[in-house]
Amino acid sequence: MKVKMSNKVLVYLGVAAITIIFIFPIYWMILTSVKPNEAILRLPPQFIPNGATWNNYKNIMNDGKFVVFYKNNVIVSTVTTLVTLTLAVFAAYVFSRFQFRGARFLQMLFLSTQMFPAMTLLIALYNMYFKLGLLNTYTALVLACSTNALPMSVWILKGFFDTIPKSLDEAACIDGSSKANTLFRVILPLIRPGIIAVGIYSFLISWEDFLWGLTLVNKTGMRTLASGIAMTYLGEYNYDWGRVMAAAVTAAIPILIIFIFLQKYIISGLTAGAVKE
């Protein structure tokens, strides 16, 4: 009995330690965002706020640049999600329902693009967008983020399409339904958790993007949150950590809302299509 009790205590202590390790950076980010700059680098550090101020939040809200970054991030993330969902649905449906020579190879080739780091594509994409005149545009950012999110999105949705028996398609066809009508009115409602999961995944990919926003955009008015914060509030000799952390907390609010209200859809969406019945 004592051994079991001691094991439980060790387990709880381990879980508590891991929880603290993961939560502490978030706590420190929030704490730093309400500190004046002279208190941020003070030694020993203050783990409990003393003289908290909201000036950092007021400053970034009064700064027109941050509002522009936020607006750009919302536009790019929303359009990226719509583009990725549209392409992923059609691609996954084709891979799941149509048999053609080289289909398996094409699927693996499509997924294998995830193995290559984005840096390997950076120069090629930059040159291509430069020749097409797409630099400093929403189009460049949407295409880059969609390219990054699409392979995994297709793979996830294909798993959901595979769980829907083809006899359902055949029954709808016998009733006179076209393939497009069957897809939109019969099959897609059945894989709604997968669609929501893929939509959240592609939104997060584009919302947290830093590399493409930094490389494909060099105008302040077109920058997104991650690259805009880095280029505006962080310099070679001056770091405005108060504003950086206030901006980071504000940028994290949509992600927090998504996980609070859509957590069950994320979990069910990423697991429901994992087993083919």
Side-chain angles (χ1 to χ4, degrees), residues 189-230:
L190 297 177
I191 63 168
R192 186 176 301 170
I195 294 176
I196 295 176
V198 167
I200 295 173
Y201 167 74
S202 55
F203 182 86
L204 294 181
I205 287 289
S206 54
W207 186 267
E208 298 173 352
D209 170 67
F210 173 75
L211 180 64
W212 302 119
L214 183 66
T215 307
L216 302 178
V217 173
N218 54 33
K219 292 183 178 179
T220 303
M222 287 300 300
R223 292 198 182 277
T224 51
L225 272 175
S227 59
I229 292 172

Short mmCIF file of all heavy atoms in Angstrom, two decimals, residues 189-230:
data_model
loop_
_atom_site.label_atom_id
_atom_site.label_comp_id
_atom_site.label_asym_id
_atom_site.label_seq_id
_atom_site.Cartn_x
_atom_site.Cartn_y
_atom_site.Cartn_z
N PRO A 189 -20.37 16.42 -45.20
CA PRO A 189 -20.96 16.52 -43.85
C PRO A 189 -20.52 15.40 -42.91
O PRO A 189 -20.47 15.60 -41.69
CB PRO A 189 -22.47 16.44 -44.11
CG PRO A 189 -22.64 16.94 -45.51
CD PRO A 189 -21.42 16.45 -46.24
N LEU A 190 -20.16 14.24 -43.47
CA LEU A 190 -19.74 13.11 -42.63
C LEU A 190 -18.30 13.25 -42.13
O LEU A 190 -17.92 12.59 -41.16
CB LEU A 190 -19.88 11.80 -43.41
CG LEU A 190 -21.31 11.42 -43.84
CD1 LEU A 190 -21.30 10.15 -44.67
CD2 LEU A 190 -22.21 11.25 -42.61
N ILE A 191 -17.51 14.06 -42.80
CA ILE A 191 -16.11 14.23 -42.39
C ILE A 191 -15.88 15.64 -41.84
O ILE A 191 -14.77 16.16 -41.92
CB ILE A 191 -15.14 13.94 -43.55
CG1 ILE A 191 -15.35 14.93 -44.71
CG2 ILE A 191 -15.28 12.52 -44.05
CD1 ILE A 191 -14.25 14.88 -45.75
N ARG A 192 -16.92 16.22 -41.27
CA ARG A 192 -16.81 17.59 -40.73
C ARG A 192 -15.69 17.73 -39.70
O ARG A 192 -14.96 18.73 -39.71
CB ARG A 192 -18.14 18.01 -40.13
CG ARG A 192 -18.18 19.46 -39.67
CD ARG A 192 -19.57 19.81 -39.17
NE ARG A 192 -20.56 19.62 -40.22
CZ ARG A 192 -21.87 19.67 -40.01
NH1 ARG A 192 -22.34 19.88 -38.78
NH2 ARG A 192 -22.72 19.50 -41.01
N PRO A 193 -15.51 16.77 -38.77
CA PRO A 193 -14.39 16.92 -37.82
C PRO A 193 -13.04 17.03 -38.51
O PRO A 193 -12.18 17.81 -38.08
CB PRO A 193 -14.48 15.66 -36.96
CG PRO A 193 -15.90 15.22 -37.07
CD PRO A 193 -16.32 15.58 -38.46
N GLY A 194 -12.84 16.26 -39.57
CA GLY A 194 -11.57 16.34 -40.30
C GLY A 194 -11.40 17.68 -40.99
O GLY A 194 -10.29 18.23 -41.01
N ILE A 195 -12.47 18.22 -41.54
CA ILE A 195 -12.39 19.52 -42.20
C ILE A 195 -12.05 20.61 -41.19
O ILE A 195 -11.23 21.49 -41.45
CB ILE A 195 -13.72 19.82 -42.91
CG1 ILE A 195 -13.94 18.84 -44.06
CG2 ILE A 195 -13.74 21.25 -43.43
CD1 ILE A 195 -15.27 18.99 -44.75
N ILE A 196 -12.68 20.54 -40.01
CA ILE A 196 -12.39 21.54 -38.97
C ILE A 196 -10.94 21.42 -38.51
O ILE A 196 -10.24 22.42 -38.33
CB ILE A 196 -13.35 21.36 -37.79
CG1 ILE A 196 -14.78 21.68 -38.22
CG2 ILE A 196 -12.95 22.27 -36.62
CD1 ILE A 196 -15.82 21.43 -37.14
N ALA A 197 -10.47 20.18 -38.33
CA ALA A 197 -9.09 19.97 -37.88
C ALA A 197 -8.09 20.51 -38.91
O ALA A 197 -7.11 21.17 -38.55
CB ALA A 197 -8.84 18.49 -37.64
N VAL A 198 -8.33 20.24 -40.18
CA VAL A 198 -7.44 20.72 -41.23
C VAL A 198 -7.50 22.24 -41.33
O VAL A 198 -6.48 22.91 -41.54
CB VAL A 198 -7.81 20.07 -42.58
CG1 VAL A 198 -7.10 20.78 -43.74
CG2 VAL A 198 -7.43 18.60 -42.58
N GLY A 199 -8.70 22.81 -41.17
CA GLY A 199 -8.82 24.26 -41.20
C GLY A 199 -8.02 24.92 -40.07
O GLY A 199 -7.33 25.91 -40.29
N ILE A 200 -8.11 24.35 -38.87
CA ILE A 200 -7.36 24.88 -37.73
C ILE A 200 -5.86 24.72 -37.98
O ILE A 200 -5.07 25.63 -37.70
CB ILE A 200 -7.78 24.17 -36.43
CG1 ILE A 200 -9.24 24.49 -36.11
CG2 ILE A 200 -6.89 24.59 -35.27
CD1 ILE A 200 -9.81 23.70 -34.95
N TYR A 201 -5.47 23.56 -38.49
CA TYR A 201 -4.05 23.30 -38.75
C TYR A 201 -3.48 24.31 -39.74
O TYR A 201 -2.42 24.90 -39.50
CB TYR A 201 -3.89 21.88 -39.28
CG TYR A 201 -2.54 21.58 -39.87
CD1 TYR A 201 -1.42 21.39 -39.07
CD2 TYR A 201 -2.37 21.48 -41.26
CE1 TYR A 201 -0.18 21.12 -39.62
CE2 TYR A 201 -1.14 21.20 -41.81
CZ TYR A 201 -0.04 21.02 -41.00
OH TYR A 201 1.18 20.76 -41.55
N SER A 202 -4.17 24.53 -40.85
CA SER A 202 -3.66 25.45 -41.87
C SER A 202 -3.69 26.90 -41.35
O SER A 202 -2.80 27.70 -41.67
CB SER A 202 -4.49 25.34 -43.15
OG SER A 202 -5.87 25.55 -42.89
N PHE A 203 -4.69 27.23 -40.51
CA PHE A 203 -4.74 28.57 -39.93
C PHE A 203 -3.54 28.81 -39.01
O PHE A 203 -2.91 29.87 -39.06
CB PHE A 203 -6.05 28.75 -39.15
CG PHE A 203 -6.22 30.14 -38.56
CD1 PHE A 203 -6.77 31.15 -39.32
CD2 PHE A 203 -5.83 30.40 -37.25
CE1 PHE A 203 -6.93 32.42 -38.77
CE2 PHE A 203 -5.98 31.67 -36.70
CZ PHE A 203 -6.53 32.69 -37.47
N LEU A 204 -3.22 27.82 -38.18
CA LEU A 204 -2.09 27.96 -37.26
C LEU A 204 -0.77 28.05 -38.02
O LEU A 204 0.12 28.81 -37.63
CB LEU A 204 -2.06 26.79 -36.29
CG LEU A 204 -3.24 26.67 -35.31
CD1 LEU A 204 -3.06 25.47 -34.40
CD2 LEU A 204 -3.37 27.94 -34.49
N ILE A 205 -0.65 27.27 -39.09
CA ILE A 205 0.58 27.31 -39.88
C ILE A 205 0.83 28.71 -40.42
O ILE A 205 1.96 29.24 -40.35
CB ILE A 205 0.50 26.30 -41.05
CG1 ILE A 205 0.63 24.86 -40.55
CG2 ILE A 205 1.58 26.59 -42.10
CD1 ILE A 205 2.00 24.49 -40.05
N SER A 206 -0.20 29.34 -40.94
CA SER A 206 -0.03 30.68 -41.53
C SER A 206 0.03 31.76 -40.45
O SER A 206 0.74 32.75 -40.60
CB SER A 206 -1.19 30.97 -42.50
OG SER A 206 -2.43 30.79 -41.86
N TRP A 207 -0.71 31.57 -39.35
CA TRP A 207 -0.70 32.59 -38.28
C TRP A 207 0.67 32.71 -37.63
O TRP A 207 1.11 33.80 -37.27
CB TRP A 207 -1.75 32.25 -37.23
CG TRP A 207 -1.92 33.29 -36.17
CD1 TRP A 207 -1.29 33.35 -34.96
CD2 TRP A 207 -2.75 34.45 -36.23
NE1 TRP A 207 -1.69 34.45 -34.26
CE2 TRP A 207 -2.59 35.16 -35.01
CE3 TRP A 207 -3.63 34.95 -37.19
CZ2 TRP A 207 -3.26 36.34 -34.75
CZ3 TRP A 207 -4.31 36.14 -36.93
CH2 TRP A 207 -4.12 36.81 -35.72
N GLU A 208 1.36 31.58 -37.49
CA GLU A 208 2.66 31.57 -36.81
C GLU A 208 3.84 31.71 -37.78
O GLU A 208 4.99 31.61 -37.36
CB GLU A 208 2.81 30.27 -36.02
CG GLU A 208 1.77 30.11 -34.93
CD GLU A 208 1.82 28.75 -34.27
OE1 GLU A 208 2.58 27.89 -34.77
OE2 GLU A 208 1.11 28.54 -33.27
N ASP A 209 3.54 31.93 -39.05
CA ASP A 209 4.63 32.00 -40.05
C ASP A 209 5.57 33.17 -39.77
O ASP A 209 5.12 34.28 -39.49
CB ASP A 209 4.03 32.14 -41.44
CG ASP A 209 5.09 32.45 -42.48
OD1 ASP A 209 5.94 31.58 -42.73
OD2 ASP A 209 5.09 33.59 -43.00
N PHE A 210 6.84 32.89 -39.86
CA PHE A 210 7.87 33.93 -39.72
C PHE A 210 8.75 33.99 -40.96
O PHE A 210 9.06 35.06 -41.46
CB PHE A 210 8.73 33.65 -38.49
CG PHE A 210 9.91 34.57 -38.35
CD1 PHE A 210 9.73 35.88 -37.93
CD2 PHE A 210 11.19 34.14 -38.65
CE1 PHE A 210 10.81 36.74 -37.81
CE2 PHE A 210 12.27 34.98 -38.53
CZ PHE A 210 12.09 36.29 -38.11
N LEU A 211 9.15 32.82 -41.46
CA LEU A 211 10.12 32.76 -42.55
C LEU A 211 9.62 33.43 -43.81
O LEU A 211 10.30 34.28 -44.39
CB LEU A 211 10.48 31.30 -42.83
CG LEU A 211 11.49 31.06 -43.96
CD1 LEU A 211 12.83 31.67 -43.60
CD2 LEU A 211 11.65 29.56 -44.22
N TRP A 212 8.41 33.05 -44.27
CA TRP A 212 7.91 33.61 -45.52
C TRP A 212 7.59 35.09 -45.37
O TRP A 212 7.86 35.89 -46.28
CB TRP A 212 6.66 32.86 -45.97
CG TRP A 212 6.85 31.39 -46.16
CD1 TRP A 212 6.21 30.39 -45.51
CD2 TRP A 212 7.77 30.75 -47.05
NE1 TRP A 212 6.68 29.17 -45.93
CE2 TRP A 212 7.62 29.36 -46.88
CE3 TRP A 212 8.70 31.22 -47.97
CZ2 TRP A 212 8.38 28.43 -47.59
CZ3 TRP A 212 9.45 30.30 -48.68
CH2 TRP A 212 9.29 28.93 -48.50
N GLY A 213 7.05 35.48 -44.22
CA GLY A 213 6.76 36.89 -44.00
C GLY A 213 8.00 37.75 -43.96
O GLY A 213 7.96 38.93 -44.34
N LEU A 214 9.10 37.18 -43.52
CA LEU A 214 10.35 37.93 -43.46
C LEU A 214 11.04 37.99 -44.82
O LEU A 214 11.68 38.98 -45.15
CB LEU A 214 11.29 37.27 -42.44
CG LEU A 214 12.63 37.96 -42.19
CD1 LEU A 214 12.43 39.32 -41.54
CD2 LEU A 214 13.53 37.08 -41.32
N THR A 215 10.91 36.92 -45.62
CA THR A 215 11.66 36.81 -46.87
C THR A 215 10.92 37.42 -48.07
O THR A 215 11.52 38.13 -48.87
CB THR A 215 11.95 35.32 -47.18
OG1 THR A 215 12.59 34.73 -46.05
CG2 THR A 215 12.84 35.19 -48.40
N LEU A 216 9.64 37.15 -48.17
CA LEU A 216 8.88 37.56 -49.35
C LEU A 216 8.33 38.97 -49.24
O LEU A 216 7.75 39.48 -50.20
CB LEU A 216 7.73 36.57 -49.59
CG LEU A 216 8.15 35.11 -49.78
CD1 LEU A 216 6.91 34.24 -49.95
CD2 LEU A 216 9.09 34.96 -50.96
N VAL A 217 8.49 39.59 -48.08
CA VAL A 217 7.96 40.94 -47.87
C VAL A 217 9.06 41.81 -47.27
O VAL A 217 9.69 41.43 -46.29
CB VAL A 217 6.74 40.91 -46.92
CG1 VAL A 217 6.31 42.33 -46.56
CG2 VAL A 217 5.58 40.14 -47.53
N ASN A 218 9.30 42.97 -47.86
CA ASN A 218 10.26 43.91 -47.30
C ASN A 218 9.67 45.29 -47.08
O ASN A 218 10.38 46.23 -46.76
CB ASN A 218 11.51 44.01 -48.17
CG ASN A 218 11.18 44.34 -49.63
OD1 ASN A 218 10.22 45.05 -49.90
ND2 ASN A 218 11.97 43.82 -50.55
N LYS A 219 8.34 45.40 -47.25
CA LYS A 219 7.65 46.65 -46.96
C LYS A 219 6.94 46.53 -45.62
O LYS A 219 6.25 45.54 -45.37
CB LYS A 219 6.64 46.96 -48.06
CG LYS A 219 7.27 47.30 -49.41
CD LYS A 219 6.20 47.67 -50.42
CE LYS A 219 6.83 48.05 -51.76
NZ LYS A 219 5.79 48.39 -52.78
N THR A 220 7.10 47.55 -44.78
CA THR A 220 6.51 47.51 -43.45
C THR A 220 4.99 47.34 -43.50
O THR A 220 4.41 46.61 -42.69
CB THR A 220 6.85 48.79 -42.67
OG1 THR A 220 8.28 48.94 -42.61
CG2 THR A 220 6.29 48.75 -41.26
N GLY A 221 4.35 47.97 -44.45
CA GLY A 221 2.90 47.92 -44.54
C GLY A 221 2.34 46.57 -44.94
O GLY A 221 1.12 46.35 -44.85
N MET A 222 3.19 45.64 -45.39
CA MET A 222 2.74 44.33 -45.82
C MET A 222 3.20 43.22 -44.90
O MET A 222 2.89 42.05 -45.13
CB MET A 222 3.23 44.04 -47.25
CG MET A 222 2.52 44.82 -48.34
SD MET A 222 0.74 44.48 -48.39
CE MET A 222 0.76 42.72 -48.69
N ARG A 223 3.92 43.56 -43.85
CA ARG A 223 4.44 42.51 -42.96
C ARG A 223 3.34 41.92 -42.10
O ARG A 223 2.35 42.59 -41.77
CB ARG A 223 5.55 43.06 -42.07
CG ARG A 223 6.82 43.42 -42.84
CD ARG A 223 8.00 43.53 -41.91
NE ARG A 223 9.21 43.93 -42.62
CZ ARG A 223 9.99 43.09 -43.28
NH1 ARG A 223 9.67 41.80 -43.31
NH2 ARG A 223 11.07 43.51 -43.89
N THR A 224 3.54 40.65 -41.72
CA THR A 224 2.62 39.99 -40.81
C THR A 224 3.18 40.08 -39.39
O THR A 224 4.24 40.65 -39.16
CB THR A 224 2.40 38.53 -41.22
OG1 THR A 224 3.67 37.89 -41.40
CG2 THR A 224 1.62 38.44 -42.53
N LEU A 225 2.48 39.47 -38.43
CA LEU A 225 2.81 39.68 -37.02
C LEU A 225 4.23 39.26 -36.66
O LEU A 225 4.99 40.05 -36.09
CB LEU A 225 1.81 38.93 -36.14
CG LEU A 225 0.53 39.69 -35.77
CD1 LEU A 225 -0.42 38.78 -35.01
CD2 LEU A 225 0.86 40.92 -34.94
N ALA A 226 4.58 38.00 -36.95
CA ALA A 226 5.88 37.49 -36.49
C ALA A 226 7.04 38.31 -37.04
O ALA A 226 7.91 38.76 -36.29
CB ALA A 226 6.02 36.02 -36.88
N SER A 227 7.05 38.49 -38.36
CA SER A 227 8.15 39.25 -38.97
C SER A 227 8.06 40.73 -38.62
O SER A 227 9.09 41.40 -38.42
CB SER A 227 8.14 39.06 -40.48
OG SER A 227 6.91 39.51 -41.04
N GLY A 228 6.85 41.26 -38.52
CA GLY A 228 6.69 42.67 -38.19
C GLY A 228 7.18 43.00 -36.79
O GLY A 228 7.85 44.02 -36.58
N ILE A 229 6.85 42.14 -35.84
CA ILE A 229 7.32 42.35 -34.46
C ILE A 229 8.84 42.30 -34.39
O ILE A 229 9.49 43.13 -33.75
CB ILE A 229 6.70 41.31 -33.52
CG1 ILE A 229 5.19 41.54 -33.39
CG2 ILE A 229 7.36 41.34 -32.14
CD1 ILE A 229 4.46 40.45 -32.64
N ALA A 230 9.41 41.31 -35.07
CA ALA A 230 10.87 41.15 -35.04
C ALA A 230 11.59 42.34 -35.67
O ALA A 230 12.62 42.80 -35.17
CB ALA A 230 11.26 39.86 -35.76
#
